[in-house]
Amino acid sequence: LINDVLLLTRERRDIGTTEPVAFRESVEAAWAMVTDKADGAELVYAGTSESAVIQADSSRLRQVLENLLVNAIEHGGTDVTVRVETTATGFAIEDDGPGVPQEDRHRVFDTGHTTSEEGTGVGLRIVERIVEAHGWDIRVTDGIDGGARFEITGVEFVEK
């Protein structure tokens, strides 16, 4: 909890310098950091170019990815499948877990909102702040398998 609050406080500042960042490598590094939370979780790519490069603060992008991946594991269960894809205007991360009910979607980015007993309620708020600091947008929708889908748009691709 203390680390999450400190991170949230730091996120009030602007992001650092942006640079071309290999998107898939960032996803792989974030996945390596969180897979100890669920040995049976699976990461799949759908429509994600191996050569996709985006303009981002690489460490902040990694925080976004780690938080979204942990969220998928915590809410989708240890055998969750997490799907990552690049889109025409950004990227999306979705899972095949229970999803986010329509009536709760406006609150998922609120500080303190959590449905997990272990959750602090700041992870998605941190994600939103980092996304906004990049000039991007984020929204939560339904995934193709009924889980949660987080779409980040407004991302500048350097290469695809």
Side-chain angles (χ1 to χ4, degrees), residues 72-125:
I73 292 168
E74 286 179 354
H75 295 282
T78 57
D79 62 346
V80 69
T81 298
V82 181
R83 177 182 145 129
V84 177
E85 71 175 293
T86 53
T87 64
T89 60
F91 60 91
I93 296 179
E94 71 178 67
D95 60 63
D96 61 356
V100 179
Q102 183 76 28
E103 62 273 9
D104 291 337
R105 291 183 185 165
H106 69 283
R107 298 182 317 144
V108 296
F109 299 108
D110 291 349
T111 302
H113 176 75
T114 184
T115 58
S116 171
E117 289 183 22
E118 298 91 33
T120 61
V122 296
L124 289 178
R125 180 67 179 134

Side-chain angles (χ1 to χ4, degrees), residues 136-159:
W136 306 336
D137 294 304
I138 186 169
R139 71 183 189 125
V140 61
T141 65
D142 289 327
I144 60 170
D145 293 323
R149 177 180 172 93
F150 289 87
E151 296 177 347
I152 291 89
T153 58
V155 176
E156 178 186 349
F157 284 92
V158 180
E159 298 175 30

Side-chain angles (χ1 to χ4, degrees), residues 6-58:
L6 289 173
L7 184 58
L8 184 60
T9 302
R10 282 195 301 263
E11 294 316 316
R12 292 177 194 255
R13 292 180 276 166
D14 291 331
I15 58 171
T17 305
T18 63
E19 61 188 353
V21 177
F23 180 71
R24 194 162 179 158
E25 285 178 24
S26 294
V27 172
E28 293 291 334
W31 185 250
M33 293 297 292
V34 303
T35 53
D36 64 331
K37 298 187 183 311
D39 290 332
E42 180 182 9
L43 178 69
V44 297
Y45 292 96
T48 301
S49 168
E50 288 190 35
S51 62
V53 176
I54 64 174
Q55 194 70 25
D57 175 322
S58 61

